[in-house]
Amino acid sequence: MPIAGAPLSSSPGRESGPGAGPAVFRCRRFALPLGGQALVVGVVNVTPDSFSDGGRYLDPGAACDRAHALAAEGAAVVEVGGESTRPGARPVPAAEELARVLPVIRRLVRELAVPVAVDTWKPAVAEAVLDAGADLLNDVTALCHGPALAEAAARGGAGLVLMHMRGTPETMQAAPTYGDVVAEVRDALAAAAARAEAAGVAPDAIAVDPGLGFGKTARHNLELLRRLDALCALGRPVMIGASRKAFLGAVLEAPLDDRLEGTLAAGAAALLKGAALIRVHEVRPMVRVARVLAAIARGAP
Ligand code: HH2
């Protein structure tokens, strides 16, 4: 079985070499090892309307069961989301988002042996889930709402994923344009990571994500994957979330429930370019792909 995350006390806590990124991704109670097998992040959306699993895990018991299943399949992180960010989605009030996620977070931080992440951009939600024990925040706006969320992460010693988005979920797919999408996303993520550090987040607690499908056409997404090494050169752990997204549907001419191979191919391509974290809805197949890639890299089973 893959190592899901070492407790903080056993972390190496060192840099892996000059110019290289950190050796671990620090997420409060955990220090996830980088540079070995990829870390697969399993997603559970506690929403009525998420594009892929909306409505399936609204009941806290069903969400926790799903989270346990993902951890048993080898997820290194389990992420809970209480607001859909699919194209066209409207924000839900913080109180509604908290009512969805808090009962799930409270249980999972006690029951799981891996970090519990929360997908939120709202500082009030971030504060509350950190109070409840969450280890990692995933901000799909990369601190576009000011430093409060990063300050909360810093106070709690939590990890922070900064994802690039052009516009908002309501507007982002209305003809997004870039000069050089890779350079613009890289520069925006570098600036966001600097803002997070200025707010007090430890350098080894920050990861970045180009935000596939968030204000990007299929061509932009494919270009970002093809040239992902340019983002990895930032020296931060890179997360990729291609799972079941529309650009895979465009390539495969396949509906939402028939995009597994596309998800795995995109994940494998990202790993070969240096990504550290792969965010998926189906954990087991992605973990198996990551295991084989890791074995090829070390030249031994
Ligand atoms: N994609 C989604 C949501 N959050 N976070 C990061 N860091 N990277 C991603 O690619 C990403 C993300 C969209 O997927 P999902 O959570 O399944 O859908 P929804 O936003 O509709 O709940």
Side-chain angles (χ1 to χ4, degrees), residues 46 60 64 97-108 110:
V46 193
C64 289
E97 190 178 337
L98 279 172
R100 293 176 184 172
V101 300
L102 268 182
V104 179
I105 305 298
R106 287 198 183 107
R107 258 190 68 186
L108 294 183
R110 286 199 319 266

Side-chain angles (χ1 to χ4, degrees), residues 103-127:
V104 179
I105 305 298
R106 287 198 183 107
R107 258 190 68 186
L108 294 183
V109 296
R110 286 199 319 266
E111 295 175 359
L112 292 185
V114 296
V116 176
V118 181
D119 190 344
T120 191
W121 54 267
K122 298 187 189 94
V125 174
E127 295 267 7

Side-chain angles (χ1 to χ4, degrees), residues 43 45 47 49-53 79 81 83-87 89 119 138-140 161-163 209 211-212 214 239-243 245 279 281:
V43 182
N45 284 310
T47 63
D49 57 344
S50 286
F51 85 97
S52 163
D53 58 354
E79 184 194 286
E83 175 184 275
S84 174
T85 49
R86 74 186 190 290
D119 190 344
N138 173 24
D139 176 8
V140 297
V161 179
L162 300 166
M163 195 203 79
D209 183 327
L212 300 179
F214 285 82
M239 180 187 279
I240 279 290
S243 189
K245 284 187 177 169
R279 182 184 183 278
H281 300 89

Side-chain angles (χ1 to χ4, degrees), residues 247-262:
F247 76 100
L248 298 174
V251 174
L252 295 173
E253 298 178 8
L256 189 62
D257 60 0
D258 189 22
R259 297 177 187 163
L260 177 60
E261 299 90 340

